[in-house]
Amino acid sequence: MATPQEEAFCVLRFNKCESAITVQRDFRRTYGTEAPTAQSIRRWRQTFQESGCLCAQKRSGRPHTSDENIERVRQSFVRSPQKSTCRAGLELDLPHSTVWRVLRRRLTLKAYRIQLLQALLPDDKQKRIDFCNFISEKQEENESFVSRIVFSDEATFHLSGKVNRHNVRIWALEQPYATVEHQRDSPKINVFCAISRKKVYGPFFF
C-alpha cells in the first residue's frame, strides 16, 4: 500500500510526463521498491483532479497487512531463505500474493538464483596450471598454434533430481552467492559441440 507521499510523487510525475511507465521507472529509482500499477497512478491523479487532495479515505478491497504478519513472514524466511512463497503461504496461512508483496515491498528482499559450479578434484588446479603452461610454450614455438585449436563444450542433462535454477530462489537483501556442487558421474545425457576457425562440429548426443 503506497504512502501519501508516494501517491503525491506519482501524481506530480504523471502530470509532467503523462506516462505511467515513466512514473513507474522514476518511482523504482527513487524508492527502491516495486512501483504502483498504472491503474493506481491514473486513479490517484483522477482523485486529485476531482477533490483537490490525496487525503486518506476509507478504502475497500484488500485489507492492510498487519505488522505481526510482516514479522511472521520475515522470521519464516530467516529460518529458511530458500523456501518458496507458496510454501510460506501455506505454513503461515497467508495468501501467496501477500507473502510475495511483504517480501518485495515491505522487507525489500530480492529473489536470487542459485549458482551451479563444477565440483573440482584435489589435482584439478595443478592440471589447469600445466595446461596453461603447455599452451604458452606451444604459442611461442608457433604463432599459428592457437588458431588451429578446436574448442569444444558439452551440456549435461541429468536424469536424476538436480537443482533447477529456474525454480530455486533465495530471498535476501544482498546477493548471497550461494552455490551447489554437482557430481559428473550421476545418470545423464550429454550434448557435445565443437568449433574451430573454419567449422562447427555437432551437436552430438550421447
Side-chain angles (χ1 to χ4, degrees), residues 135-175:
I135 293 295
S136 297
E137 293 173 359
K138 290 297 183 180
Q139 183 66 14
E140 291 179 359
E141 296 174 1
N142 186 345
E143 294 183 355
S144 63
F145 174 77
V146 174
S147 64
R148 301 202 304 269
I149 295 178
V150 176
F151 295 92
S152 65
D153 200 0
E154 65 181 27
T156 302
F157 298 87
H158 292 269
L159 305 181
S160 58
K162 289 291 181 180
V163 173
N164 186 338
R165 287 179 294 173
H166 293 285
N167 295 333
V168 176
R169 296 291 186 274
I170 298 177
W171 290 91
L173 287 170
E174 298 179 354
Q175 168 64 268

Side-chain angles (χ1 to χ4, degrees), residues 161-203:
K162 289 291 181 180
V163 173
N164 186 338
R165 287 179 294 173
H166 293 285
N167 295 333
V168 176
R169 296 291 186 274
I170 298 177
W171 290 91
L173 287 170
E174 298 179 354
Q175 168 64 268
Y177 298 104
T179 62
V180 172
E181 293 186 350
H182 65 97
Q183 299 295 329
R184 295 179 62 88
D185 57 355
S186 60
K188 59 187 178 292
I189 181 172
N190 294 330
V191 182
F192 174 86
C193 189
I195 185 172
S196 67
R197 184 177 181 180
K198 298 181 179 180
K199 185 178 180 180
V200 175
Y201 307 86

Side-chain angles (χ1 to χ4, degrees), residues 3-204:
T3 65
Q5 291 79 6
E6 292 171 345
E7 293 181 7
F9 174 90
C10 292
V11 170
L12 292 174
R13 286 289 195 277
F14 192 65
N15 282 336
K16 289 183 178 180
C17 63
E18 294 292 335
S19 170
I21 295 177
T22 301
V23 174
Q24 290 172 326
R25 182 171 60 247
D26 292 343
F27 186 95
R28 286 190 291 267
R29 185 183 301 114
T30 301
Y31 293 99
T33 60
E34 191 67 22
T37 64
Q39 181 181 2
S40 296
I41 295 171
R42 295 189 179 94
R43 186 180 70 251
W44 295 335
R45 204 269 288 269
Q46 182 178 358
T47 299
F48 180 77
Q49 290 176 332
E50 294 175 352
S51 64
C53 71
L54 291 171
C55 304
Q57 301 177 3
K58 185 177 180 180
R59 299 175 181 264
S60 60
R62 182 185 298 130
H64 176 69
T65 304
S66 67
D67 292 339
E68 178 185 357
N69 282 335
I70 293 174
E71 179 61 19
R72 291 174 64 211
V73 172
R74 189 187 72 82
Q75 289 292 342
S76 177
F77 282 88
V78 166
R79 292 190 299 268
S80 180
Q82 296 188 32
K83 182 184 304 180
S84 70
T85 53
C86 290
R87 177 173 293 277
L90 292 174
E91 294 177 355
L92 301 173
D93 194 24
L94 293 173
H96 161 261
S97 58
T98 298
V99 175
W100 188 93
R101 189 167 57 253
V102 168
L103 290 171
R104 291 287 292 160
R105 299 186 180 181
R106 304 303 295 274
L107 301 178
T108 64
L109 299 180
K110 296 181 179 179
Y112 294 96
R113 289 184 180 181
I114 198 167
Q115 182 181 4
L116 296 180
L117 296 179
Q118 174 63 44
L120 297 178
L121 299 176
D123 60 342
D124 283 343
K125 292 183 179 180
Q126 185 59 46
K127 289 181 179 179
R128 292 184 176 187
I129 294 175
D130 294 341
F131 178 78
C132 291
N133 292 333
F134 168 78
I135 293 295
S136 297
E137 293 173 359
K138 290 297 183 180
Q139 183 66 14
E140 291 179 359
E141 296 174 1
N142 186 345
E143 294 183 355
S144 63
F145 174 77
V146 174
S147 64
R148 301 202 304 269
I149 295 178
V150 176
F151 295 92
S152 65
D153 200 0
E154 65 181 27
T156 302
F157 298 87
H158 292 269
L159 305 181
S160 58
K162 289 291 181 180
V163 173
N164 186 338
R165 287 179 294 173
H166 293 285
N167 295 333
V168 176
R169 296 291 186 274
I170 298 177
W171 290 91
L173 287 170
E174 298 179 354
Q175 168 64 268
Y177 298 104
T179 62
V180 172
E181 293 186 350
H182 65 97
Q183 299 295 329
R184 295 179 62 88
D185 57 355
S186 60
K188 59 187 178 292
I189 181 172
N190 294 330
V191 182
F192 174 86
C193 189
I195 185 172
S196 67
R197 184 177 181 180
K198 298 181 179 180
K199 185 178 180 180
V200 175
Y201 307 86
F204 303 101

